[in-house]
C-alpha cells in the first residue's frame, strides 16, 4: 500500500487497534490478516486490545451469523455493525472497547509510577 511508509508513525505507542472490513468482499478477508499481522502481532499487542468490526452496508444481505474467520483472527473480539438496523448496539460495543483500553493505560501508568517511587 502507498501508505506503508506512515505505518511506523501510526503504530508508535498505540494501545489498541480497530480493524473495520466489509465481510462481503473476499479480498477484505485476506487483507485483514495482513493488517492484523502488521499492527497487532508485530507490535506484540495483546489480542484483547484488538477489535474487528464487520461492517454491513445498507441493503446488503448481511449474514452476520455465518462469518467464520480463520485462526488467528477467530480469537479476536468481532462485532457486526449495521448502522441502519442497530446503531446503538455498535455504539455500546465501541464504548466497552474504549473503556477496556483506558483501564489498561491507567493500570500501566500506575505501575510505572509505583516503580519510579519504589
Amino acid at each position: 500500500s502507498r501508505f506503508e511508509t506512515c505505518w511506523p508513525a501510526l503504530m508508535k505507542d498505540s494501545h489498541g487497534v480497530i480493524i473495520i472490513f466489509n465481510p462481503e468482499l473476499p479480498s477484505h478477508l485476506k487483507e485483514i490478516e495482513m493488517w492484523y499481522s502488521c499492527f497487532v502481532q508485530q507490535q506484540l499487542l495483546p489480542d484483547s486490545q484488538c477489535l474487528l468490526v464487520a461492517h454491513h452496508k445498507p441493503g446488503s444481505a448481511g449474514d452476520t451469523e455465518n462469518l467464520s474467520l480463520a485462526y488467528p483472527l477467530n480469537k479476536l473480539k468481532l462485532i457486526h455493525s449495521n448502522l441502519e438496523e442497530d446503531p446503538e448496539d455498535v455504539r455500546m460495543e465501541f464504548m466497552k472497547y474504549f473503556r477496556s483500553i483506558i483501564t489498561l493505560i491507567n493500570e500501566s501508568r500506575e505501575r510505572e509510577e509505583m516503580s519510579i517511587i519504589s
Side-chain angles (χ1 to χ4, degrees), residues 110-118:
E110 279 168 23
R111 274 196 305 273
E112 273 170 33
E113 286 168 2
M114 290 311 289
S115 68
I116 292 166
I117 293 166
S118 52

Side-chain angles (χ1 to χ4, degrees), residues 40-116:
V40 182
Q41 286 180 315
Q42 288 173 31
Q43 301 311 302
L44 304 178
L45 207 64
D47 286 341
S48 59
Q49 286 161 251
C50 180
L51 179 65
L52 287 182
V53 182
H55 183 63
H56 301 270
K57 289 189 170 164
S60 68
D63 184 3
T64 57
E65 300 311 308
N66 291 323
L67 178 63
S68 57
L69 296 171
Y71 180 86
L73 297 173
N74 60 5
K75 302 182 300 175
L76 303 174
K77 169 97 174 128
L78 168 69
I79 65 170
H80 290 271
S81 75
N82 185 327
L83 299 182
E84 264 186 332
E85 285 172 27
D86 217 343
E88 191 52 34
D89 210 33
V90 176
R91 205 175 71 86
M92 291 298 293
E93 288 290 353
F94 267 102
M95 292 310 289
K96 263 197 302 205
Y97 171 73
F98 285 125
R99 264 191 221 111
S100 70
I101 298 293
I102 289 164
T103 303
L104 277 166
I105 293 169
N106 288 340
E107 283 170 1
S108 72
R109 191 170 291 148
E110 279 168 23
R111 274 196 305 273
E112 273 170 33
E113 286 168 2
M114 290 311 289
S115 68
I116 292 166

